[in-house]
Amino acid sequence: AYAVACLVYAPQSMANLKQLPLTLPGQRGLEGVLNGPSAYNCYNLTFSDAAIRELVWWEQGRLVLRLESCVGRPHLRASVYGCPSDGARVVWEYMSEKMQGDIIAQGKEVPAKWQWVGDVESLIIDITHRSYYIEVGHYTDGETYKATYDSVDGQTSYAKYLLEAHILDNAKQPLESVNPLKNLCGWDRQVRVRDRAIPQTSIFGGFTVSLSDNSTKTEVEWYAPGTGGA
C-alpha cells in the first residue's frame, strides 16, 4: 500500500469532485472524458499523516501534474482553495500570464497558442499544502478558441485525456524521470534512470529508486499498445 493517500473530500458544493491517485513513473495516468462545452472534472489529492511526516524532510518537494491530451483540447489548472469552476481562486494554470512571465524570465521563448493548445500540459508545484484541487476543462480564450468546437467523429466539445500525478524531491531526483518531454498517447512505456549511485527507499512501499548528486540520464522506451513496457 502507498504511504501517500489520495483522499476525496467532497463538500456539497463540489459534487463533481473525483479522486486523483498518485502514480509511479512509467505507469498509465488516470483516464478522463469531457463531454460538452461546460464539462470539467475536478480532482482532490490529500497527503496522509505518514506522507507529511516524510515530505517535511524533503529539500525540494514537488508535485508534478501531467495532462496528456488524446482528443480535443483539455486544459489544466489547480488550486489549494477548492475547484476553480466552483469559484475557488486559481493558483496554478498551464500557460497562464504568470507562467509565461517565468518562461520569459528564463530567457526562453513563449510558444504560440497553436503550438500547445491540445498538446501535453504540465504543472510543477512546490509541496507547501496538504490538499490540492486539480481541474481539467476545455481550453478557451474567448477569441480563437471557443467553448464549443468540433472534436472527433462528429462530436462537439468532446475531449479525452490521461492525467498523472507524481511527487519527488527535486534535490535528489530530476524532473525528467517522471515527466518525459515527449509522449505517445495510449502507448506503453518503460522509464529507466541511469547512473544513480546511492539507493534510497521512497515513500512508495516496496519501490526503490537510486539517488545521486551526479549527472543522470533518463531513458524512455516506447511500445505500441499491448506489445511491452509498463
Side-chain angles (χ1 to χ4, degrees):
Y2 291 130
V4 173
C6 300
L7 307 176
V8 174
Y9 171 67
Q12 292 299 317
S13 61
M14 295 185 183
N16 202 35
L17 195 64
K18 302 176 185 293
Q19 177 181 358
L20 179 62
L22 288 170
T23 54
L24 296 176
Q27 286 186 326
R28 181 181 176 87
L30 182 69
E31 185 173 304
V33 169
L34 302 174
N35 196 355
S38 60
Y40 70 92
N41 290 321
C42 188
Y43 305 88
N44 173 251
L45 188 155
T46 299
F47 296 116
S48 67
D49 291 343
I52 293 297
R53 282 194 292 270
E54 179 163 345
L55 288 171
V56 294
W57 293 101
W58 287 13
E59 295 180 39
Q60 299 177 27
R62 300 289 187 268
L63 169 62
V64 181
L65 303 172
R66 187 169 191 276
L67 177 68
E68 182 184 348
S69 174
C70 300
V71 176
R73 51 170 195 258
H75 184 57
L76 183 62
R77 53 186 185 169
S79 177
V80 293
Y81 303 106
C83 298
S85 290
D86 289 336
R89 180 168 68 88
V90 176
V91 182
W92 303 275
E93 182 173 5
Y94 186 75
M95 281 300 164
S96 63
E97 290 185 7
K98 181 182 183 303
M99 184 174 181
Q100 293 185 38
D102 291 341
I103 292 174
I104 294 173
Q106 296 170 11
K108 301 177 181 179
E109 183 177 352
V110 176
K113 285 184 180 179
W114 66 265
Q115 293 179 295
W116 62 266
V117 173
D119 204 344
V120 173
E121 298 186 1
S122 62
L123 294 174
I124 301 169
I125 299 172
D126 292 350
I127 299 178
T128 56
H129 289 70
R130 186 186 187 96
S131 293
Y132 294 86
Y133 297 87
I134 299 96
E135 188 173 284
V136 180
H138 297 286
Y139 177 78
T140 62
D141 62 8
E143 299 174 358
T144 304
Y145 298 97
K146 307 294 185 180
T148 301
Y149 63 98
D150 294 332
S151 301
V152 64
D153 295 334
Q155 297 184 82
T156 301
S157 301
Y158 175 86
K160 185 176 180 180
Y161 60 85
L162 298 175
L163 179 61
E164 301 174 27
H166 311 286
I167 58 174
L168 57 84
D169 184 354
N170 197 35
K172 300 291 185 180
Q173 185 177 356
L175 292 170
E176 290 79 8
S177 65
V178 295
N179 190 21
L181 295 179
K182 295 184 179 179
N183 201 348
L184 298 175
C185 188
W187 280 47
D188 299 328
R189 63 186 175 187
Q190 184 68 46
V191 180
R192 295 190 179 93
V193 180
R194 304 293 190 184
D195 300 328
R196 296 183 179 274
I198 306 173
Q200 176 178 314
T201 302
S202 76
I203 61 175
F204 300 111
F207 176 67
T208 299
V209 295
S210 297
L211 308 176
S212 173
D213 293 331
N214 300 323
S215 60
T216 60
K217 180 176 69 172
T218 301
E219 296 180 353
V220 183
E221 295 182 355
W222 299 104
Y223 302 85
T227 62

